[in-house]
Structure formats: C-alpha cells, structure tokens
Amino acid sequence: MPVLAVTKERRAGETRVAVTPDATRKLIALGLDVVVEAGAGLAAAAIDADYEAAGARLVRSAPEAVAGADILLKVRGPTEEEIGALKAGAIVVGLLNPFQDRETMEALARAGATVFAMELVPRITRAQVMDALSSQANLAGYRSVIEAAEVYGRALPMMMTAAGTVAAAKVFVMGAGVAGLQAIATARRLGAVVTATDVRPAAKEQVESLGAKFVAVEDEEFKAAETAAGYAKPMSEAYQAKQAALVGEHIKKQDIVVTTALIPGRLAPKLVSAEHVASMKAGSVLVDLAVEQGGNVVGARTGEIVEAGGVKIVGVPNLPGRVAADASALYARNLTAFVGLLIKDGALAPDFDDEILQAALVAKDGAIVHALLKPV
Ligand code: NAD
C-alpha cells in the first residue's frame, strides 16, 4: 500500500496544513496509508484525534513521517530535514514557489524526488478542482477586506442613527481576478460602495455582476490585454501613464483600496504611487495583496502597517493563512484531486503523459525538468 505523509508546516507564519482529517478519509479511500506528524494541523483547527478517527497513523516527528513515504504533501516547500529523510523517487507536492525558491527545488532534485508544484497546474476545466491558486486567492480576497476593516477607524456600512449618519465607506479594488472579485463581494456584503479596475476586458462584466462600478482605461490595448490562459499581459508605458492618471483622479476620493494585481512570472505592477497615497484622506487604508510579489503600492512592506501622512498601507503576508481552517480544507481538496492522478487501483501509477502532471512537474530522476526552470 503506498504511504502518504503529512507534516507540520515550518515556514515562518504558515498556519495551514496540507491534509485535513476529512481529506485523510478520501486519501485512504484511494488506497493510501496516511501518516501524519502529531500536531500538524493544530494551527488550522485540525486536531490529532480527528486524524486518528479518520484512519491516519500518527507519528512523533517530521522525519519519521517522511521516511518510507511514497508521497509527501505540503503547503509550502519542505524543510532540509524533510528533504534529507525522503527516499529516492518519492513524490513531493505543494505550493512550492518554484520560480523564487530555486534552492529548495534543487535540493529536492538532488534528493531524487519527483516534484510537482501546484502553482503550475494548468487552468483547464478538468483541473479546476485542483486549482490551488484560485482556492487560496479567493480566501485572500475575503480576508483582505477584513484586514482593511480592522485597521480602518470607521464603519463600512451606512448607518442612520439618532446621533447622526455614518457614511458608507468607498472601497476601490484594483485587479479583479479571483482575489479581487471576492474582495468586491465581501466589501459589498459589509455595505461599502465599491468600484474596481482591471486591464482585462472580461473583468468588467464580472465586476458589474457583483454590483460594483468598473473604472478603467478602455482603449485598444485594454481590448487585447488578456492572454489565452486568461491572465493579464504587462501593459505598455503609455497605458500605464493613462492608468495612473485615472487612478489619481479616483483614488483620492476612496476610503479603502485593496490591490491584487499580478502578472504571472513577473514582479507585480506598481499601480499606486507615493503621490496617489499622499492624495488620500487621513484615515484611509490600503491593503496590498501583491506585497510578497514586490507590491502594487509604493511603500508597502511585507508584514508591516506603514503609516504615510495618516494613511495606512497594510502588507499582510499569507492572507489565506489567516483563514487557516478554510484555506486548509480547500487546499486539501485540491491536493486530494491531484493525488487521484498519481494512483490507479490502489497502486502508485503516475501517468507522466497526462497534461496536468506534465505541466506541474518540476523535477524528476535527480534533475530539474520544467522548461522554465532548467539550467541554461
Ligand atoms: P492574477 O492573480 O494573475 O492577477 C490578479 C488580477 O490582476 C487579474 O485579474 C489581472 O488581470 C489583474 N492585473 C494585472 N495587471 C494589472 C494592471 N496593470 N492593472 C490592473 N489589474 C491588473 O489572476 P487570477 O486571479 O489568478 O485570475 C486571472 C483570470 O483567470 C480571471 O479571469 C479568472 O477568472 C481566470 N481563472 C480561470 C480559471 C479556469 O478557467 N480554470 C481558474 C482560475 C482563474
């Protein structure tokens, strides 16, 4: 029976766990022997007794869980100790950040691991259930508004009271992908007046269907800004200048700005300049979801709330980790579906011709094999 290991996440601030007790049951039903490091799910409200009740075997340490495992499931990259304990040919799957964390990819390759990065799963219909970027971005979008509400010294909904009226907060969401759309929905539920922008024309209808107003430079470049994969292209300097002028007019009237703009494989585009921040009213709040990819807001710093002339710029890393129980449950479902591609009739049988496995494969047989990661 193939052995599947789950260990505690040890990267700073990581509260999620790769497999929940519920997912344990599904993995066992696939024919796997599931080994869990004691305490692995504690920060995500998944306790050892629940893993045991689901049929997992509990062990005391990460190396104990990893040694002998055919598959190791992680949220983030494994530790050196875990890599050291892996048997050659073991499969490692996680949100491994392969383009930035080359060191771990190389260590895993040297250990002879077969490595799959969940970020590289293609966004085709069959792989939707495995789309960890979306499952986590959705929760990040939700949480970004909660973070903003926490720091904002006013209420979001309009309130008419005997003592006077509280105005509804004006929320502007920049980047209306998975995270941005959930931020819009959350801000609307809290009673804010919401506007949003994006460079992809498809975003307009989605924004409007959530009851928010779309604000964007809708020129010829905008009409062609979406790649075949559904992502944004980097925009020209001329477009960026027009966008900055539009943002400049709009942002000074906003109370809360949530930025989520990303371009795959590149640093996040800078959408909010220091002048934009300076034009905002005291007490306004910006939450930069792209802070770990270089940031959309000039001055944002990871893990900090930067004060600039009475305006707060919030740079919370790992927002899904602040909704750890739900983020883990959804991610564990993504992983369980992915593991389904590695197992056939209870035996380990990855089909390396499957387009999903091909796209997600980073390393195999001692070498980095992904086309975009191979040493030149
Ligand atoms: P993302 O995280 O790469 O980027 C977030 C958003 O930022 C995107 O909407 C992007 O257009 C926007 N952006 C980039 N540069 C910008 C700029 N200069 N100004 C303003 N906005 C900018 O994207 P994502 O959230 O992962 O999703 C992108 C698209 O893919 C969405 O349409 C989403 O619905 C779609 N999607 C499809 C599938 C599927 O078919 N399986 C799965 C997930 C997402």
Side-chain angles (χ1 to χ4, degrees):
M1 191 185 279
V3 178
L4 182 143
V6 184
T7 57
K8 189 171 151 56
E9 293 299 316
R10 288 188 164 75
R11 302 251 170 161
E14 188 50 77
T15 47
R16 293 169 289 178
V17 65
V19 172
T20 56
D22 191 37
T24 299
R25 281 190 196 90
K26 296 199 178 91
L27 292 165
I28 289 173
L30 284 175
L32 292 157
D33 177 16
V34 177
V35 185
V36 179
E37 179 190 356
L42 266 187
I47 58 171
D48 290 348
D50 289 344
Y51 284 103
E52 262 180 329
R57 275 194 294 131
L58 263 91
V59 294
R60 243 167 308 168
S61 72
E64 224 181 307
V66 173
D70 299 290
I71 303 175
L72 169 62
L73 297 185
K74 295 291 299 173
V75 179
R76 310 274 284 275
T79 62
E80 265 179 53
E81 193 181 34
E82 286 169 339
I83 296 173
L86 279 175
K87 71 175 183 189
I91 295 173
V92 179
V93 190
L95 282 167
L96 303 174
N97 194 15
F99 296 107
Q100 270 82 49
D101 193 2
R102 287 297 291 251
E103 212 179 307
T104 306
M105 298 309 105
E106 277 155 22
L108 282 164
R110 277 197 301 277
T114 300
V115 182
F116 293 105
M118 289 300 280
E119 297 93 328
L120 301 176
V121 166
R123 285 178 147 175
I124 55 174
T125 309
R126 186 164 68 90
Q128 247 172 16
V129 55
M130 303 164 206
D131 186 351
L133 284 182
S134 290
S135 74
Q136 304 303 293
N138 177 47
L139 286 166
Y142 158 76
R143 187 69 207 192
S144 67
V145 176
I146 305 299
E147 297 293 333
E150 158 125 25
V151 173
Y152 186 52
R154 301 170 195 269
L156 269 74
M158 185 180 89
M159 293 179 204
M160 291 214 248
T161 80
T165 300
V166 170
K170 293 195 184 80
V171 175
F172 181 36
V173 177
M174 304 183 73
V178 179
L181 291 174
Q182 187 56 257
I184 294 168
T186 305
R188 291 264 304 149
R189 282 183 209 117
L190 286 173
V193 175
V194 186
T195 51
T197 190
D198 203 295
V199 290
R200 291 178 303 106
K204 181 175 182 167
E205 205 185 302
Q206 291 162 348
V207 165
E208 287 171 350
S209 75
L210 289 171
K213 188 166 174 261
F214 192 67
V215 180
V217 177
E218 298 184 45
D219 63 4
E220 289 303 313
E221 191 174 346
F222 170 86
K223 288 181 195 144
E226 182 159 324
T227 66
Y231 289 111
K233 290 181 186 158
M235 305 305 275
S236 70
E237 270 182 34
Y239 186 92
Q240 287 176 45
K242 283 192 256 177
Q243 191 182 29
L246 180 72
V247 168
E249 269 313 298
H250 190 63
I251 210 166
K252 59 187 178 203
K253 298 174 222 140
Q254 303 304 309
D255 301 303
I256 292 174
V257 177
V258 174
T259 68
T260 76
L262 291 175
I263 299 159
R266 291 176 181 254
L267 277 180
K270 284 275 179 277
L271 300 180
V272 181
S273 66
E275 292 73 42
H276 289 150
V277 174
S279 76
M280 294 178 75
K281 287 171 288 194
S284 305
V285 176
L286 296 113
V287 178
D288 188 345
L289 266 80
V291 72
E292 289 170 280
Q293 283 82 33
N296 295 138
V297 181
V298 171
R301 283 205 292 270
T302 305
E304 289 182 36
I305 298 177
V306 177
E307 293 248 9
V311 176
K312 292 192 176 94
I313 309 172
V314 181
V316 185
N318 190 13
L319 280 166
R322 295 204 167 199
V323 213
D326 280 332
S328 301
L330 298 184
Y331 180 58
R333 273 178 227 147
N334 297 143
L335 280 181
T336 308
F338 189 86
V339 169
L341 300 177
L342 307 173
I343 304 289
K344 200 162 183 221
D345 301 327
L348 205 57
D351 170 8
F352 289 103
D353 290 330
D354 182 307
E355 63 177 316
I356 299 174
L357 295 194
Q358 261 179 11
L361 185 66
V362 170
K364 188 170 179 285
D365 300 328
I368 303 262
V369 296
H370 195 279
L372 298 176
L373 286 159
K374 265 198 261 189
V376 278

